[in-house]
Amino acid sequence: MGNVNKTDRMKELIEILNRASKAYYAEDIEIMSNVEYDALYDELLSLEEETGTVLAGSPTVNVGYEAVDGLPKETHERPMLSLDKTKDREALRDWLNGHEALLSWKLDGLTIVLTYDNGSLVKAVTRGNGEVGEVVTNNAKTFINLPHKIAYTGKLVIRGEAVISYEDFEKINAEIPEEGAKYKNPRNLCSGSVRQLNNEITAKRRVRFMAFNFVSASEDSEVDFDFRSEQFEFLKSQGFEVVEYYKVTEDNILERIQYFADTIESNSIPSDGLVLTYDDIKYGKSLGRTAKFPRDAIAFKWADETANTHLIDIEWSPSRTGLINPVAIFEPVELEGTTVSRASVHNVSIVKSLELGIGDEISVYKANMIIPQIKDNFTKSGKISIPCNCPACGENTQIKNENGIETLYCINENCPAKAIKKFTLFVSRDAMKIDGMSEATLEKFLAVGFIKTYADIYRLSAHKDAICDMDGFGEKSYDKMISSIEKSRDVLLPNLIYALGILNVGLSNAKIICKAFDYDIEKLTGVSVEELSEIDSIGEVIARSFTEYFLDEKKLLEFNDLLTEINILIPEKADANANIDGKTFVITGSLTTYENRNALKDLIESLGGKVAGSVSAKTDYLINNDVTSNSSKNKKAKELGVSIISEEDFNMLIG
């Protein structure tokens, strides 16, 4: 079995083992026996030792999370030049000049330079301006497909693109309730994710690395190639995922370009064109470079299919943040095989620059063959007036200028558009978990004034007769909703904090903050930016959002009113003699004393401990009722000197 095939098997094993672990630990479902799991785990370990490669996501390694104050800058050893471009397919064929080349996707993400030494990743730097980039090494270690260890032990420098798939992009956006806060495209999300100051956030974004260039290897190394295709095969053998590419000649390049054109709609990785590079490395280098571009490669940009149509309207769409987004509505046209009739205009600056007016003849296209955009306005009547009043509440709007970009905002704190999103978040599953209160239902209650504050939700029974007379409501649906509301009165403090919709404070951050201040509401509402910033993984941006929320007198009054209607559940505080605060545990095997692993995990965390999924040098205890078994976890624990204890031992440990 070749190294590439072994790498494929390792990827398969990682996927199987991680799926089994998630089912076992998070869902309390056993999809395979311990014997089966251990056999696959041992096979993976064996392949890792055999190939010298450890892939990202492997259950044999853990990535540590940490926050930094800033990203240091670093000058690239070799400047990263842009490529010359063309949109002409025939020009691309002529460029070959009789030579063989590689045709690949031009990926649309963030270019990264990786340096490996002695088999380990030692540095990752963004492209930056081509000469100076930002060091993002710890963030790169969380990329879901990046090898943590490779077989080649010399110094290796490669380039590639950090990308987020369309599927993951959609999932991340779906978790953001307010429309104005959603990410515009995968590239922007990826760029922000890679450059985070806290690599735990990067890890949640499922960033991938696709290698596209072998830069250099140690001078005394036997790794020396005549062709770029050989370099790609070498990178594959080291466990890297490389950009999809094909060898082309003048005879088949047009056919292959068409293949990419036909595939772009179904391609999961964002791209904005193609790259053509001479396969013969020496020939490519012999061509030298111009003042701006290397001559051994050229980029191909898609000639966007455009269509002329007429602007029917500009729809101004308010969001929970107050941002009002302009959306162009035009006569439907066919583009790239689909019918389109809407396109985001993004902001006021673009509306003005296009001089849009109702009835104008415009041309529209799909950027990168996917996202509808306005390309040009032939009439330029400029008759669009920026609304002075919010479409949702009728109150005044305000144009804000940030870095030269004008955007429209509703400045009414009580705008229904803001309130709808605000209350939708409040009743959601990870917040107060109130079933039967859809966005449409909330909109009805807000419109008639039944709900003005969070506490009003718990006083809806005063409007029973009026609610039962509403469209879509009856006695049965009313009772079901009220029952869910009553059930939600008992809530954990982190879920309550998340429900408030504090900017940048998700559920995980809420848990961290609440725990740091012993679930004390008075401490939380009076905490300072400095105190919050001292917590690991809570930076100044989150700290400032949190403190500013409770410094707002109106928000604080609303919060205190809400407290009169609910009962806050606080996890049992750690016993002073528990002696497990800060200790890391791994749980394996079947349990007898506890209902399931989650119950034991919750107890450990409530006592100040941590629970990991695999044994490492940082593990303090492995909990396994079969302490003498030869399972992979037991073997690993023995190798590292980690204590193996039973449930009974654990119960004695916590007293």
Side-chain angles (χ1 to χ4, degrees):
M1 186 187 295
N3 261 13
V4 174
N5 290 335
K6 289 177 182 176
T7 300
D8 289 341
R9 175 58 178 163
M10 288 160 64
K11 289 178 182 177
E12 182 183 18
L13 289 169
I14 289 169
E15 196 275 330
I16 294 170
L17 291 168
N18 286 342
R19 189 173 358 113
S21 291
K22 181 182 179 183
Y24 193 76
Y25 287 103
E27 301 161 4
D28 202 28
I29 301 170
E30 193 166 303
I31 62 176
M32 67 172 64
S33 68
N34 282 344
V35 173
E36 290 173 306
Y37 183 95
D38 290 339
L40 295 176
Y41 186 94
D42 289 341
E43 182 186 352
L44 176 61
L45 269 179
S46 176
L47 285 170
E48 288 178 344
E49 290 170 2
E50 193 177 332
T51 62
T53 301
V54 179
L55 301 175
S58 172
T60 66
V61 296
N62 283 318
V63 177
Y65 297 131
E66 68 174 18
V68 295
D69 296 327
L71 298 174
K73 302 284 196 301
E74 181 168 306
T75 301
H76 295 294
E77 291 182 13
R78 303 181 186 183
M80 299 176 64
L81 301 175
S82 298
L83 296 179
D84 197 4
K85 300 175 181 65
T86 182
K87 289 188 176 183
D88 188 335
R89 300 188 184 196
E90 290 290 345
L92 213 60
R93 182 167 68 173
D94 293 342
W95 183 88
L96 286 174
N97 198 26
H99 291 272
E100 196 169 49
L102 304 184
L103 186 65
S104 63
W105 290 116
K106 185 176 182 292
L107 300 178
D108 194 19
L110 187 68
T111 300
I112 304 285
V113 183
L114 300 181
T115 303
Y116 282 77
D117 203 358
N118 197 28
S120 299
L121 176 66
V122 294
K123 189 164 57 180
V125 185
T126 66
R127 182 186 189 279
N129 63 7
E131 293 187 0
V132 179
E134 293 174 307
V135 180
V136 290
T137 310
N138 287 331
N139 293 356
K141 289 178 180 177
T142 70
F143 294 173
I144 62 173
N145 65 337
L146 191 69
H148 285 211
K149 184 176 177 58
I150 61 176
Y152 178 68
T153 56
K155 184 178 180 182
L156 176 67
V157 181
I158 66 173
R159 288 180 191 150
E161 199 84 352
V163 292
I164 290 177
S165 72
Y166 284 115
E167 181 183 5
D168 289 328
F169 170 73
E170 295 296 340
K171 285 180 181 177
I172 292 168
N173 256 353
E175 294 171 359
I176 301 172
E178 60 273 18
E179 194 65 32
K182 293 181 185 290
Y183 295 97
K184 300 298 181 188
N185 54 58
R187 186 187 187 284
N188 288 355
L189 174 58
C190 183
S191 179
S193 301
V194 172
R195 300 171 63 252
Q196 285 287 330
L197 298 182
N198 183 344
N199 68 335
E200 187 170 8
I201 298 174
T202 309
K204 293 175 182 176
R205 303 286 175 78
R206 293 184 58 78
V207 181
R208 303 167 186 270
F209 178 82
M210 310 292 289
F212 62 66
N213 187 222
F214 177 106
V215 179
S216 65
S218 300
E219 290 184 7
D220 57 351
S221 166
E222 294 180 0
V223 177
D224 188 24
F225 305 103
D226 295 322
F227 298 97
R228 294 194 180 276
S229 51
E230 294 175 343
Q231 293 178 337
F232 275 128
E233 290 305 311
F234 169 75
L235 293 177
K236 285 182 187 177
S237 74
Q238 300 300 304
F240 294 101
E241 194 168 349
V242 303
V243 63
E244 183 181 3
Y245 72 94
Y246 297 93
K247 284 187 182 182
V248 293
T249 63
E250 291 176 344
D251 294 332
N252 69 354
I253 185 170
L254 296 181
E255 179 184 333
R256 187 51 70 181
I257 292 172
Q258 189 56 46
Y259 158 79
F260 280 110
D262 294 339
T263 309
I264 192 168
E265 285 287 351
S266 59
N267 190 35
S268 64
I269 303 300
S271 68
D272 56 358
L274 305 174
V275 175
L276 187 63
T277 310
Y278 289 119
D279 193 21
D280 189 318
I281 296 170
K282 289 180 181 177
Y283 173 73
K285 286 182 178 179
S286 73
L287 300 175
R289 48 178 277 190
T290 67
K292 293 183 178 180
F293 311 118
R295 287 196 174 100
D296 65 340
I298 187 171
F300 173 76
K301 302 289 284 185
W302 299 110
D304 301 305
E305 182 183 340
T306 62
N308 292 354
T309 183
H310 290 89
L311 185 68
I312 297 173
D313 196 10
I314 292 289
E315 180 182 284
W316 297 87
S317 176
S319 69
R320 183 169 76 95
T321 62
L323 177 67
I324 303 176
N325 300 293
V327 179
I329 314 298
F330 46 83
E331 294 172 356
V333 291
E334 290 288 320
L335 285 177
E336 313 291 353
T338 61
T339 302
V340 294
S341 59
R342 299 168 63 90
S344 173
V345 194
H346 302 301
N347 54 57
V348 172
S349 291
I350 295 177
V351 172
K352 290 181 176 180
S353 67
L354 286 169
E355 300 178 61
L356 293 172
I358 303 304
D360 281 356
E361 184 181 0
I362 59 175
S363 65
V364 293
Y365 71 103
K366 278 189 177 181
N368 298 332
M369 302 174 75
I370 296 174
I371 305 168
Q373 301 282 302
I374 295 178
K375 182 177 183 180
D376 203 356
N377 181 7
F378 303 112
T379 314
K380 295 188 176 180
S381 68
K383 293 178 182 177
I384 292 293
S385 57
I386 311 303
C388 298
N389 302 101
C390 172
C393 68
E395 295 294 324
N396 292 340
T397 60
Q398 177 184 336
I399 294 177
K400 296 183 180 180
N401 192 314
E402 298 175 355
N403 300 318
I405 303 297
E406 290 183 317
T407 50
L408 186 67
Y409 280 85
C410 173
I411 57 177
N412 176 19
E413 283 297 321
N414 299 312
C415 176
K418 295 180 184 180
I420 289 169
K421 300 300 182 183
K422 162 182 166 180
F423 285 105
T424 300
L425 172 66
F426 184 81
V427 303
S428 65
R429 183 181 60 183
D430 288 335
M432 300 303 289
K433 197 176 182 180
I434 303 176
D435 295 328
M437 295 198 78
S438 65
E439 190 166 308
T441 298
L442 287 167
E443 191 171 4
K444 290 177 184 177
F445 292 165
L446 287 162
V448 295
F450 291 170
I451 296 177
K452 294 185 178 70
T453 69
Y454 293 135
D456 288 338
I457 290 176
Y458 295 94
R459 298 163 185 159
L460 281 172
S461 56
H463 308 286
K464 177 180 178 180
D465 292 342
I467 292 173
C468 288
D469 287 339
M470 284 181 169
D471 286 341
F473 263 97
E475 191 91 22
K476 190 173 181 180
S477 56
Y478 168 82
D479 289 341
K480 185 177 179 181
M481 180 186 72
I482 292 297
S483 174
S484 183
I485 289 172
E486 291 302 312
K487 186 178 179 182
S488 77
R489 287 183 188 271
D490 294 326
V491 60
L492 288 166
L493 185 57
N495 298 81
L496 171 63
I497 295 297
Y498 170 65
L500 300 177
I502 302 172
L503 189 64
N504 300 314
V505 179
L507 181 58
S508 59
N509 286 329
K511 288 179 178 179
I512 292 168
I513 292 170
C514 290
K515 183 177 179 181
F517 292 94
D518 298 323
Y519 303 91
D520 187 317
I521 292 179
E522 288 189 15
K523 287 181 181 177
L524 289 173
T525 55
V527 69
S528 69
V529 173
E530 291 73 20
E531 288 174 309
L532 275 173
S533 298
E534 289 176 1
I535 303 172
D536 286 344
S537 79
I538 303 297
E540 186 177 343
V541 173
I542 296 173
R544 197 168 298 282
S545 292
F546 192 92
T547 54
E548 285 178 355
Y549 185 91
F550 292 107
L551 285 172
D552 185 314
E553 187 175 342
K554 185 178 178 181
K555 287 187 172 74
L556 184 59
L557 284 171
E558 185 177 354
F559 179 67
N560 287 331
D561 186 30
L562 175 62
L563 293 180
T564 66
E565 296 289 343
I566 61 175
N567 308 306
I568 295 176
L569 306 178
I570 298 174
E572 181 182 344
K573 290 189 177 181
D575 189 324
N577 298 317
N579 199 32
I580 70 168
D581 187 38
K583 303 292 185 183
T584 299
F585 292 78
V586 172
I587 308 168
T588 191
S590 57
L591 301 174
T592 55
T593 308
Y594 298 92
E595 182 182 352
N596 52 45
R597 294 187 188 184
N598 279 338
L600 178 53
K601 179 177 181 285
D602 290 343
L603 175 59
I604 291 170
E605 289 179 346
S606 73
L607 297 173
K610 301 176 183 177
V611 177
S614 58
V615 178
S616 71
K618 294 182 180 179
T619 306
D620 294 291
Y621 296 99
L622 170 63
I623 299 176
N624 186 354
N625 282 325
D626 188 357
V627 295
T628 61
S629 80
N630 289 317
S631 70
S632 57
K633 284 188 173 67
N634 275 29
K635 289 178 184 176
K636 187 80 170 178
K638 289 172 184 176
E639 289 173 12
L640 297 172
V642 173
S643 298
I644 305 174
I645 61 174
S646 65
E647 276 178 90
E648 185 180 353
D649 296 328
F650 173 77
N651 290 334
M652 292 176 63
L653 185 66
I654 65 173

